[in-house]
Amino acid sequence: GVLGAGFMGAGIAAIAAQHGTVVRMKDTDTGRIGRGLAAVRSVIAESLARRHITRQQFADQMILVSGTTDYSGFGNADVVIEAVFEDLDLKHDVLREVEPVIAPEAVYASNTSTIPIGRIAEAAVRPERVLGMHFFSPVHRMPLLEVIATAKTSREAVVTAVEYGRALGKTVIVVNDGPGFYTTRALSAYMNEAGMLLDQ
């Protein structure tokens, strides 16, 4: 399941389909779903244009992706990845809406790059199933995936997220929940040093 059919949500859906996963994208209206499906098609069509896949494989991958404006189909999801705007209240609303619909053993992952996962998990009935899966943009080109665990995240949820990330062809690192996770913290140090060099 992918919550949000925008740039990141569609990118996640596209690579999931390319690796054989049935994907259900949810957004607020059919226009957004249509644009999300068009973005998925564009990513998969790139592989076709480069002759990495055949026309039949293109069709087979596209048929794996569907969209909805409700939560139909989400009860079958093993992993639900939220990719909505970077707003804590919105992320809380989305988590509260979808959690009663998904299976108790499903993993709920936020694609946030800035909001602590522990803060997002505050809205969860099952915080042990909540973690971060921080994909990088554009999703189909960037190999790194950060899996972010809170103090309450279960080992099983982390293992599930890591294995799924590897199944998507990503290089997966597991990090603890903290400001900037790993990559943004490292990038901040580089940017600070670059600024000092520029000043000098």
Side-chain angles (χ1 to χ4, degrees):
V2 176
L3 298 166
F7 183 71
M8 290 302 291
I12 294 165
I15 61 157
Q18 287 178 311
H19 288 85
T21 304
V22 177
V23 184
R24 188 80 159 151
M25 278 195 303
K26 192 267 182 197
D27 214 311
T28 53
D29 61 65
T30 54
R32 291 175 191 267
I33 292 294
R35 289 188 291 276
L37 291 171
V40 170
R41 181 182 179 84
S42 176
V43 170
I44 298 175
E46 188 179 310
S47 293
L48 178 63
R50 293 180 181 208
R51 299 186 181 192
H52 295 160
I53 58 172
T54 65
R55 286 197 173 279
Q56 184 60 56
Q57 288 171 315
F58 171 80
D60 290 344
Q61 290 174 13
M62 280 303 301
I63 207 167
L64 294 174
V65 186
S66 63
T68 180
T69 56
D70 56 27
Y71 292 104
S72 59
F74 273 74
N76 298 321
D78 299 308
V79 177
V80 174
I81 302 171
E82 166 266 301
V84 301
F85 296 117
E86 293 288 270
D87 178 270
L88 182 60
D89 290 337
L90 175 61
K91 289 180 183 290
H92 278 172
D93 290 344
V94 169
L95 176 52
R96 286 189 191 105
E97 278 184 15
V98 75
E99 197 174 24
V101 178
I102 61 177
E105 64 274 11
V107 172
Y108 183 91
S110 177
N111 182 53
T112 185
S113 58
T114 59
I115 301 172
I117 305 302
R119 294 290 311 281
I120 295 170
E122 287 170 359
V125 175
R126 297 182 293 273
E128 71 279 3
R129 308 303 294 174
V130 178
L131 46 71
M133 288 181 79
H134 180 206
F135 292 83
F136 295 81
S137 178
V139 180
H140 63 289
R141 291 211 178 97
M142 300 296 279
L144 187 64
L145 169 64
E146 285 182 303
V147 170
I148 304 109
T150 73
K152 294 182 179 178
T153 306
S154 72
R155 181 175 174 79
E156 182 189 0
V158 172
V159 169
T160 299
V162 169
E163 286 304 306
Y164 187 58
R166 288 177 177 163
L168 296 178
K170 298 299 183 185
T171 300
V172 184
I173 60 171
V174 179
V175 299
N176 288 327
D177 192 18
F181 311 135
Y182 178 81
T183 53
T184 305
R185 288 170 77 180
L187 180 63
S188 297
Y190 279 110
M191 294 303 288
N192 286 342
E193 187 65 22
M196 287 189 283
L197 286 169
L198 186 60
D199 282 345
Q200 289 170 9

